[in-house]
C-alpha cells in the first residue's frame, strides 16, 4: 500500500525562514473544534431526520427508541465530520488561492508603475513593496512574500530565486510563469518593463474572464446546493405532517430505503459538484 504523503504547512525558503505552503490548509485548534462540532451536529440532525422513531410501541417511544436515536445521531454525526469538514477545508484552501491570485496581480501593477518610472529591478521591487504596504496589512500574504524577496535581495540572493520559491509554494500558474519569464529576462537582459506590463495585462484579463464565468455559474451552484438540501427538507416535512409516513420510516424496510437514498444522495451531490466546478 502507498503511504499517504502529508505536506507540511510551512516550507523553508532560501533565506532559511519558514514560510506558508499555500497548498496546505491547517485548522487552528479553535477552528478545528468549531468545524468538527458544527459538522457533527448537522450530521446528527440529518441522522435523526431519517432514522428517528424506531422501536416505538403503540406510537410511544421506548427505551430502545431513545437508544437508537442516540446511536444514529452519533454515527451519522461522525459521518458528517468525515464528509463536511474536508469540504470546508477545500473551500478555505480555494479561497486562499484566489486571494493570492488577486494580491499577486496588485503586486505586478505596482511593479509595472515602478519600472515605468525608470527604476532598476531592486529599486522597483522596493518601491512596489512600499506601495503595497499602503493597500494591505502586515499579515497579508503578498506583504509577507515581498518582505522575503526584499530581504533576500539585501542579503545577496537573486530576486528570481526568491520569486521561484514563492511560485513553488503557491502552485499558482501565473506566479510560476512570471517567475520563469522574470528569471530569463533578468539573466539575459530582456525588456523587464515590457514583460511586467504584459504579464499584468494578461493576468488582469484572465481574472476578468474567470470572474465572468463564476458569475454565470453562481445560479447553477445555488440550484445545486438547494437541490442537495431538498431531500432532507422534504423528508422532515413529511415526517412532521404525516404520522403514517413517519411510521413507515421506522421499519426495517424504511431503514434500508433510507440508507440507499442517502448513498444515492451523496453520490448525486458529488457528481453535481464536478459539473459546476469549472475552473478558469
Amino acid at each position: 500500500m502507498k503511504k499517504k504523503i502529508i505536506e507540511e504547512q510551512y516550507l523553508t525558503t532560501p533565506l532559511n525562514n519558514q514560510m506558508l505552503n499555500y497548498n496546505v490548509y491547517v485548522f487552528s485548534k479553535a477552528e478545528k473544534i468549531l468545524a468538527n462540532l458544527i459538522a457533527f451536529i448537522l450530521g446528527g440532525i440529518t441522522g435523526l431526520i431519517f432514522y428517528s422513531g424506531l422501536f416505538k410501541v403503540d406510537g410511544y417511544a421506548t427505551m430502545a427508541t431513545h437508544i437508537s436515536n442516540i446511536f444514529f445521531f452519533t454515527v451519522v454525526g461522525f459521518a458528517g465530520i468525515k464528509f463536511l469538514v474536508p469540504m470546508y477545508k477545500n473551500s478555505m484552501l480555494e479561497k486562499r488561492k484566489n486571494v493570492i491570485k488577486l494580491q499577486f496581480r496588485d503586486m505586478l501593477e505596482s511593479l509595472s508603475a515602478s519600472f515605468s518610472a525608470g527604476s532598476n529591478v531592486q529599486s522597483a521591487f522596493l518601491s512596489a513593496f512600499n506601495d503595497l504596504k499602503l493597500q494591505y496589512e502586515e499579515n497579508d500574504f503578498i506583504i509577507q512574500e515581498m518582505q522575503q524577496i526584499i530581504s533576500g535581495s539585501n542579503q545577496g540572493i537573486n530576486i528570481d530565486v526568491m520569486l521561484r520559491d514563492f511560485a513553488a509554494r503557491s502552485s499558482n500558474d501565473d506566479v510560476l510563469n512570471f517567475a520563469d519569464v522574470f528569471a530569463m529576462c533578468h539573466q539575459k537582459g530582456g525588456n523587464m518593463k515590457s514583460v511586467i506590463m504584459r504579464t499584468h495585462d494578461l493576468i488582469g484579463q484572465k481574472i476578468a474572464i474567470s470572474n465572468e464565468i463564476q458569475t454565470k455559474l453562481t445560479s447553477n451552484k445555488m440550484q445545486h446546493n438547494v437541490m442537495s438540501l431538498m431531500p432532507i427538507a422534504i423528508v422532515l416535512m413529511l415526517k412532521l405532517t404525516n404520522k403514517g409516513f413517519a411510521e413507515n420510516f421506522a421499519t426495517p424496510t424504511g431503514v434500508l430505503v433510507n440508507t440507499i437514498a442517502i448513498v444515492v444522495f451523496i453520490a448525486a451531490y458529488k457528481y453535481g459538484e464536478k459539473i459546476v466546478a469549472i475552473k478558469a
Side-chain angles (χ1 to χ4, degrees), residues 53 56-60 237-250:
K56 286 185 176 180
V57 177
D58 296 328
Y60 294 97
M237 181 183 68
L238 291 174
K239 290 189 74 172
L240 292 176
T241 58
N242 191 319
K243 186 176 180 181
F245 186 87
E247 291 176 352
N248 288 333
F249 264 69

Side-chain angles (χ1 to χ4, degrees), residues 3-244:
K3 292 183 178 179
K4 184 178 180 180
I5 298 175
I6 301 176
E7 295 187 89
E8 297 180 1
Q9 183 182 11
Y10 296 96
L11 298 175
T12 304
T13 70
L15 281 174
N16 206 31
N17 295 331
Q18 295 293 305
M19 290 292 290
L20 189 64
N21 178 6
Y22 298 101
N23 299 298
V24 176
Y25 188 86
V26 178
F27 290 127
S28 65
K29 289 184 178 179
E31 188 179 17
K32 184 176 182 179
I33 292 172
L34 184 61
N36 280 277
L37 180 61
I38 292 175
F40 179 79
I41 292 173
L42 291 176
I45 291 173
T46 303
L48 289 180
I49 290 173
F50 283 94
Y51 295 110
S52 65
L54 301 177
F55 307 113
K56 286 185 176 180
V57 177
D58 296 328
Y60 294 97
T62 63
M63 180 62 70
T65 303
H66 297 306
I67 292 174
S68 69
N69 287 345
I70 295 172
F71 172 78
F72 282 112
F73 184 94
T74 304
V75 170
V76 183
F78 280 112
I81 292 175
K82 292 292 185 181
F83 182 69
L84 296 175
V85 172
M87 285 175 52
Y88 173 72
K89 180 180 287 189
N90 289 335
S91 69
M92 295 302 294
L93 187 61
E94 196 64 30
K95 180 179 179 181
R96 185 169 67 184
K97 288 186 176 183
N98 287 333
V99 169
I100 282 292
K101 180 171 62 176
L102 295 174
Q103 292 184 358
F104 178 68
R105 180 195 61 182
D106 292 339
M107 185 198 85
L108 289 181
E109 186 174 355
S110 297
L111 280 176
S112 178
S114 298
F115 278 111
S116 297
S119 302
N120 59 33
V121 173
Q122 189 167 0
S123 297
F125 272 87
L126 182 58
S127 177
F129 177 49
N130 292 329
D131 184 33
L132 289 170
K133 285 195 292 186
L134 300 176
Q135 303 178 50
Y136 295 102
E137 301 293 332
E138 186 177 352
N139 60 344
D140 283 324
F141 302 132
I142 199 64
I143 295 298
Q144 296 178 18
E145 295 298 338
M146 286 295 284
Q147 283 178 332
Q148 285 293 300
I149 292 171
I150 299 300
S151 297
S153 178
N154 291 336
Q155 296 183 38
I157 301 175
N158 289 337
I159 289 178
D160 54 290
V161 174
M162 300 302 298
L163 278 173
R164 279 179 167 163
D165 173 71
F166 173 32
R169 287 184 288 103
S170 71
S171 290
N172 182 289
D173 290 339
D174 296 327
V175 184
L176 289 166
N177 292 333
F178 174 73
D180 290 338
V181 173
F182 179 89
M184 186 176 297
C185 290
H186 193 211
Q187 294 168 7
K188 297 185 178 181
N191 189 339
M192 193 64 70
K193 174 184 172 181
S194 176
V195 169
I196 297 290
M197 294 182 67
R198 180 61 176 163
T199 304
H200 172 261
D201 290 341
L202 288 174
I203 291 176
Q205 293 172 13
K206 181 179 178 182
I207 291 174
I209 294 172
S210 176
N211 289 340
E212 186 176 349
I213 292 173
Q214 292 302 321
T215 299
K216 291 182 177 180
L217 285 174
T218 298
S219 61
N220 293 333
K221 290 182 177 180
M222 182 66 68
Q223 291 173 14
H224 171 248
N225 291 332
V226 171
M227 292 301 294
S228 297
L229 294 174
M230 282 301 292
I232 299 175
I234 291 173
V235 171
L236 176 61
M237 181 183 68
L238 291 174
K239 290 189 74 172
L240 292 176
T241 58
N242 191 319
K243 186 176 180 181

